[in-house]
Amino acid sequence: ATTTVEQASASEPQYYYMDVNGIVVAPAASVGAPELQSLPVVQIVLESQTLVKPGVTILGRGLIEYALAGYEAAGQSSANIKISYIIANSKTEDEAVFVTSEGWQASLSRKLPLDTQIKKLELALREKIGDKRKTLQYVDLRVKDRVYYK
């Protein structure tokens, strides 16, 4: 997996390769656009000024597995959902935001089953959002039996 790390003082995102345990393996200074499209990308917002370096654990294994499962579930979705990257915040590990290639975001809760949230998203896109998908900003799936969107 590849991760983008954004620090409050950093103006440009920095890319690193991570293993499945969330440990930084190496800087990815030469990551090109084709490679970024083929690898799962997790954008992490760090609150501290700690420098990211190889050997440091950035995310927990559970969040990495969730991100990989999210990419897979979206890829198999009947709603043609393409994830550009996933946003993870070190303070809110119970939530993840999937940013799609169309520009809208889906907020998900790790407390609810991923497949249930993907099904809710597919249903909302098909029955409620429909042709408004081009102007869609976000879909919030974090509430058990509700879907909020704008």
Side-chain angles (χ1 to χ4, degrees):
T2 301
T3 181
T4 304
V5 177
E6 277 189 17
Q7 292 181 323
S9 63
S11 58
E12 284 293 314
Q14 299 173 10
Y15 294 92
Y16 298 87
Y17 290 108
M18 284 189 318
D19 67 10
V20 294
N21 295 312
I23 300 171
V24 174
V25 176
S30 61
V31 174
E35 190 173 10
L36 280 179
Q37 291 176 355
S38 67
L39 292 171
V41 176
V42 180
Q43 178 182 27
I44 305 167
V45 180
L46 297 176
E47 300 298 325
S48 70
Q49 298 298 318
T50 305
L51 294 177
V52 176
K53 56 187 176 192
V56 173
T57 301
I58 297 291
L59 290 176
R61 182 181 179 100
L63 191 53
I64 295 292
E65 289 174 349
Y66 190 81
L68 294 172
Y71 267 89
E72 185 178 332
Q76 296 174 352
S77 168
S78 63
N80 195 25
I81 303 164
K82 291 188 178 28
I83 298 175
S84 290
Y85 59 95
I86 295 175
I87 300 173
N89 189 323
S90 57
K91 287 188 174 181
T92 56
E93 285 210 10
D94 288 344
E95 298 177 2
V97 177
F98 293 2
V99 180
T100 68
S101 59
E102 295 173 300
W104 53 270
Q105 301 180 356
S107 297
L108 292 94
S109 170
R110 290 186 54 215
K111 294 179 181 178
L112 300 173
L114 179 62
D115 58 341
T116 302
Q117 293 177 87
I118 295 294
K119 295 280 186 224
K120 284 190 335 185
L121 179 58
E122 289 173 342
L123 189 62
L125 288 170
R126 186 172 48 249
E127 294 186 4
K128 295 188 185 253
I129 298 166
D131 59 356
K132 297 180 214 162
R133 189 167 169 166
K134 293 186 189 307
T135 59
L136 187 62
Q137 293 177 18
Y138 69 85
V139 179
D140 191 339
L141 304 161
R142 295 174 293 180
V143 179
K144 190 175 181 177
D145 342 0
R146 305 258 189 260
V147 175
Y148 299 99
Y149 65 92
K150 179 177 177 184

